[in-house]
């Protein structure tokens, strides 16, 4: 897997719950933000994906909450793609939400794919689509 891409995020007060820590669902939003930021940094836009007739889909996600985050905390959200051994229809995305002191607040593992928007099925080799669409496929470990 390539060195993970990272994006900074500041925890906003309205994202916290009654206990004063980041609401559980917002961790997933941060992960999604990092994934789309990586796509953009690699030169892939939503319009570009749609023009090719494909769209990314999330098939599975696991979040391990390790340390609380509070309003004002500065974090880094990483995103790295793991394509596995063979050529498959799915890929793994490994993500970490880390405080500036390097404390890991959460680990997110996801399984994704690229859906053919007309056929409503996963494409056979998503790597080839990412490689073809990206101006910097190295960000995907390609």
């Amino acid at each position: 897997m390539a060195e993970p891409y990272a994006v900074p995020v500041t925890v906003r007060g309205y994202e916290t719950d009654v206990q004063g820590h980041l609401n559980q669902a917002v961790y997933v939003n941060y992960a999604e933000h990092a994934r789309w930021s990586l796509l953009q940094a690699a030169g892939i836009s939503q319009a570009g994906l749609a023009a090719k007739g494909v769209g990314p889909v999330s098939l599975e996600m696991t979040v391990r909450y390790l340390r609380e985050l509070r309003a004002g905390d500065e974090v880094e959200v990483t995103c790295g793609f793991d394509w596995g051994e063979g050529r498959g229809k799915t890929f793994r995305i490994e993500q970490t939400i880390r405080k500036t002191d390097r404390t890991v607040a959460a680990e997110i593992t996801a399984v994704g794919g690229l859906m053919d928007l007309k056929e409503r099925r996963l494409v056979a080799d998503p790597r080839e689509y990412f490689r073809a669409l990206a101006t910097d496929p190295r960000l995907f470990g390609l």
Side-chain angles (χ1 to χ4, degrees), residues 59-80:
L59 303 169
E60 177 182 316
M61 184 178 297
T62 302
V63 182
R64 291 187 63 225
Y65 303 98
L66 301 168
R67 295 289 184 270
E68 71 178 348
L69 293 175
R70 300 177 70 78
D73 283 348
E74 301 283 335
V75 299
E76 167 187 85
V77 185
T78 67
C79 184

Side-chain angles (χ1 to χ4, degrees), residues 7-79:
V7 61
V9 176
T10 301
V11 176
R12 294 163 291 258
Y14 62 83
E15 297 172 324
T16 60
D17 59 21
V18 71
Q19 289 91 355
H21 59 240
L22 189 64
N23 179 279
Q24 69 203 6
V26 180
Y27 287 84
V28 175
N29 288 339
Y30 287 3
E32 182 79 2
H33 172 65
R35 290 192 298 271
W36 279 105
S37 294
L38 184 150
L39 287 170
Q40 186 176 27
I44 298 176
S45 66
Q46 284 182 309
L49 288 165
K52 286 287 187 185
V54 295
V57 292
S58 179
L59 303 169
E60 177 182 316
M61 184 178 297
T62 302
V63 182
R64 291 187 63 225
Y65 303 98
L66 301 168
R67 295 289 184 270
E68 71 178 348
L69 293 175
R70 300 177 70 78
D73 283 348
E74 301 283 335
V75 299
E76 167 187 85
V77 185
T78 67
C79 184

Side-chain angles (χ1 to χ4, degrees), residues 53-55 114-123 129:
V54 295
L114 266 183
M115 179 184 281
D116 179 309
L117 298 176
K118 183 177 178 185
E119 298 295 322
R120 309 309 286 182
R121 296 187 182 276
L122 295 179
V123 301
Y129 280 87

